[in-house]
Amino acid sequence: GAVALRYFTHCSRRLNLLFSLILHFSKDNKLIINRWTNNPTAISDSEDILITCKGTVGKIAINSIGKVHIARQLMAIKVNDNLISNQFMELFLQRQIKTIEQKARGIIPGIKRQDILNIKTHLPPIEEQHRIVAKINEIFSFCDKAMELLHK
């Protein structure tokens, strides 16, 4: 499981190999690696926000794996760390999911880069973004504990 994946990831980084990543989500929005590629074309770096843009549109996760090749159905969003917290941007985009999904077009629904770039918001200062993320995480943690107690 997780130990094997960490070892696998460590070895691949030492060898400068890249993953071909097809985004599957576990229950807690973790990324799952499914195969390798020798010809990477679209690269995502660690901490990029990944969003599905074809098929099932709007699934979002932060790349916690490292440098990876991403499949065509993914879009990587890189944020300027001095201006925007990637966790804040992830939460913001999750709040925009309905709007993003409504922009999906085609037989296999898809969104364009411009659909994401055209979303507008007012950004609080970076320190405030960190406080907002911390408070939301605190609330989610409280909700998770409450749900756990309800199911006992």
Side-chain angles (χ1 to χ4, degrees):
V3 173
L5 178 60
R6 270 182 268 159
Y7 177 73
F8 188 63
T9 303
H10 173 72
C11 290
S12 67
R13 285 187 185 139
R14 287 183 55 213
L15 298 172
N16 281 334
L17 299 173
L18 295 171
F19 295 110
S20 173
L21 184 67
I22 303 294
L23 191 58
H24 297 283
F25 285 88
S26 62
K27 197 173 184 177
D28 55 353
N29 272 0
K30 299 296 180 196
L31 301 172
I32 299 171
I33 302 164
N34 80 331
R35 66 180 185 252
W36 292 93
T37 183
N38 293 324
N39 303 310
T41 54
I43 306 298
S44 167
D45 294 309
S46 184
E47 300 302 312
D48 286 351
I49 300 166
L50 299 175
I51 183 168
T52 54
C53 56
K54 288 282 183 206
T56 304
V57 172
K59 298 288 185 183
I60 299 170
I62 293 179
N63 176 354
S64 59
I65 297 169
K67 191 171 193 172
V68 293
H69 167 78
I70 55 174
R72 282 179 276 163
Q73 65 268 32
L74 289 177
M75 186 183 304
I77 301 169
K78 298 176 186 302
V79 298
N80 179 334
D81 292 344
N82 296 323
L83 299 174
I84 305 171
S85 154
N86 63 345
Q87 290 94 0
F88 181 85
M89 183 56 69
E90 178 188 27
L91 291 169
F92 169 76
L93 289 171
Q94 286 172 347
R95 183 75 175 110
Q96 300 297 315
I97 288 300
K98 291 295 179 207
T99 303
I100 293 168
E101 288 172 342
Q102 290 171 353
K103 295 188 180 293
R105 301 284 181 256
I107 295 170
I108 299 173
I111 57 170
K112 298 176 187 165
R113 181 176 182 262
Q114 219 46 43
D115 293 330
I116 298 296
L117 294 176
N118 286 338
I119 298 173
K120 300 204 182 330
T121 187
H122 296 283
L123 281 176
I126 190 77
E127 299 82 17
E128 185 65 16
Q129 293 174 40
H130 291 302
R131 284 190 290 275
I132 291 168
V133 169
K135 188 53 135 177
I136 289 172
N137 287 340
E138 180 184 323
I139 292 167
F140 282 163
S141 177
F142 176 77
C143 291
D144 290 342
K145 289 175 185 170
M147 290 298 290
E148 221 175 88
L149 289 172
L150 281 173
H151 289 103
K152 283 187 176 182

